[in-house]
Amino acid sequence: MVLKIANNAVSTLAASINTSVTSLALASGDAGKFPTLGAGDWFPLTIVDPSGNMEIVRVTARSGATLTIVRAQEGTTAKAFAAGSKCDLRLTAAALAVLPIAASAVTGLTELVDTSVGAVVGEPPEELDTLEKLAGAVGNNPTFAQTVTTQLGQKAASADVYTKAQVDAAIGAVQGVPSGMMTPGAMATAPTGWLKCNGAAISRTTYAALFAALVTNAGFTQQAFTVSIGSPGLFTKAAHGFFGGERLRLSTNGALPTGLNTTTDYFVIFVSVDTFYLSTSDIAPVPINTSGTQSGTHTYLTSLWGLGDGATTFNVPDLRGAFIRGMEGFGRTLDGGRSIGSFQRDAMQPITGSAGGTLPGAANGAFFYFGAATDSWSRGGGSGTATASRVDFDSSRQVRTAAETRPVNVALHYFIKI
């Protein structure tokens, strides 16, 4: 059985599935993203819904957008999924287990070079194992050097011999860092061949390889949607597949409602599997209000990091002041409902304490006794005094505080390979 994989093979369920079906249908137009399978071929597919429910299945056949599947693979259980649930071709543990077979091609590079060098140089026959026998074999032949040179020339012209440039290129392909890889660095400026991850808009032609890695290879296509004008405006796209935080650029062949344009990056706020709001900020999302009139057909194009001016530039990731968190996958649900590149605000677990009984001694934790005040009262012919105690809450009495919640850290630049 042969594992087949493809870059950016992402889609959504065209229809819901229950726990017993052995086939599923992908969204219209997405079939070509997934590998064509022959007899015995397969690829892994991970299905995830907006609630974080996940199942890994094995795809054993594909007919257009219809996939034949084996359910509940790699420790997962069969689950029911609604239309619009996300379907990804991800490298799973079972897929990785067969990759060392392909890695033999890299291991074989050394043997290939050794064999080629041996073919050029040749090895002396066993009987020429001493200088005396070698001298006898040469026999002071005056044409020996020319004969050897001629034979080596014939070897060098052979199709089985690789040039130094070819060998260097093969080794470079194994050891090279692909465009789009990111790494932190201890230097203040980007090294040669790298750029800072600062959200800058850069040329699509100057950085063509990086544009291909971040934009073209992502495989996103224009998707039609409708918008219900209101406060906020409600956007509709059947089985859109969003989790929230995705970045969209709008287009139209008519006119968008007031409040929207075609040059701004908008961010998704999930409402349902078919509807969503849009925000101009991924840091503090607020649904956009729309008004006026609209016409024509509207479409959106998803991008991971930004499409620049929409024609000649695109954006690198912006990691300034942010930590990186591993994407959910392989059955883990620590941070469900996230899309790649989505921003997440800081948060903290609750701080608790209590106050009661006889003050001031009964206040503890983040609660503290502030003091007491005595005042006079009179009512219905009576009078007297009353004492009231005040208890306040201050988390800084228990923990270090700042304008954000953060771990111990060191500030470094992130760089991306061009």
Side-chain angles (χ1 to χ4, degrees), residues 12-373:
T12 56
L13 288 178
S16 63
I17 61 173
N18 58 31
T19 58
S20 59
V21 299
T22 56
S23 66
L24 60 82
L26 301 173
S28 176
D30 288 346
K33 299 178 182 179
F34 293 82
T36 299
L37 300 179
D41 296 342
W42 67 282
F43 63 82
L45 190 74
T46 301
I47 309 172
V48 185
D49 67 16
S51 299
N53 296 309
M54 188 275 296
E55 179 184 351
I56 298 174
V57 301
R58 175 173 290 209
V59 179
T60 57
R62 178 173 74 82
S63 176
T66 300
L67 308 183
T68 301
I69 58 175
V70 180
R71 304 295 298 272
Q73 298 295 294
E74 303 187 45
T76 63
T77 58
K79 296 182 175 66
F81 292 94
S85 296
K86 198 168 185 178
C87 301
D88 295 351
L89 195 168
R90 303 181 184 178
L91 278 179
T92 64
L96 289 172
V98 304
L99 288 182
I101 299 173
S104 63
V106 176
T107 305
L109 182 60
T110 300
E111 288 80 356
L112 175 62
V113 174
D114 289 344
T115 301
S116 297
V117 172
V120 174
V121 177
E123 295 182 0
E126 292 182 358
E127 61 268 19
L128 301 183
D129 55 357
T130 66
L131 289 176
E132 182 179 2
K133 291 182 179 180
L134 178 59
V138 172
N140 296 318
N141 185 346
T143 64
F144 177 74
Q146 180 60 43
T147 301
V148 171
T149 300
T150 301
Q151 293 298 318
L152 287 177
Q154 292 174 351
K155 287 284 189 178
S158 171
D160 294 330
V161 178
Y162 293 83
T163 66
K164 179 179 182 300
Q166 290 173 317
V167 173
D168 288 345
I171 295 175
V174 174
Q175 297 178 340
V177 178
S179 294
M181 291 294 291
M182 295 190 299
T183 184
M187 63 286 289
T189 58
T192 301
W194 298 75
L195 295 173
K196 284 184 179 179
C197 294
N198 58 6
I202 59 175
S203 169
R204 299 186 180 191
T205 54
T206 303
Y207 302 103
L210 184 57
F211 177 72
L214 299 188
V215 180
T216 306
N217 293 346
F220 297 119
T221 58
Q222 294 282 354
Q223 299 293 317
F225 70 93
T226 60
V227 55
S228 300
I229 296 175
S231 298
L234 182 65
F235 299 79
T236 300
K237 168 67 170 74
H240 52 63
F242 296 140
F243 289 103
E246 290 83 356
R247 183 189 302 258
L248 309 182
R249 183 70 64 89
L250 307 184
S251 300
T252 185
N253 61 11
L256 291 167
T258 300
L260 300 173
N261 61 62
T262 60
T263 59
T264 299
D265 281 345
Y266 296 102
F267 300 92
V268 171
I269 301 174
F270 180 88
V271 177
S272 73
V273 294
D274 297 323
T275 59
F276 54 95
Y277 298 135
L278 290 181
S279 170
T280 56
S281 172
D282 59 342
I283 298 176
V286 176
I288 293 174
N289 296 330
T290 58
S291 60
T293 60
Q294 59 180 318
S295 63
T297 300
H298 311 320
T299 61
Y300 64 77
L301 181 62
T302 304
S303 69
L304 298 178
W305 309 105
L307 297 173
D309 63 5
T312 63
T313 63
F314 69 105
N315 298 91
V316 296
D318 191 352
L319 299 183
R320 292 173 296 176
F323 295 95
I324 293 177
R325 182 169 187 171
M327 276 284 292
E328 174 192 308
F330 302 105
R332 303 198 73 177
T333 56
L334 296 176
D335 190 32
R338 297 285 302 279
S339 58
I340 186 171
S342 61
F343 182 87
Q344 189 177 61
R345 292 297 304 270
D346 64 297
M348 63 184 297
Q349 293 179 322
I351 298 175
T352 62
S354 63
T358 303
L359 296 173
N364 62 72
F367 289 95
F368 67 97
Y369 178 70
F370 185 82

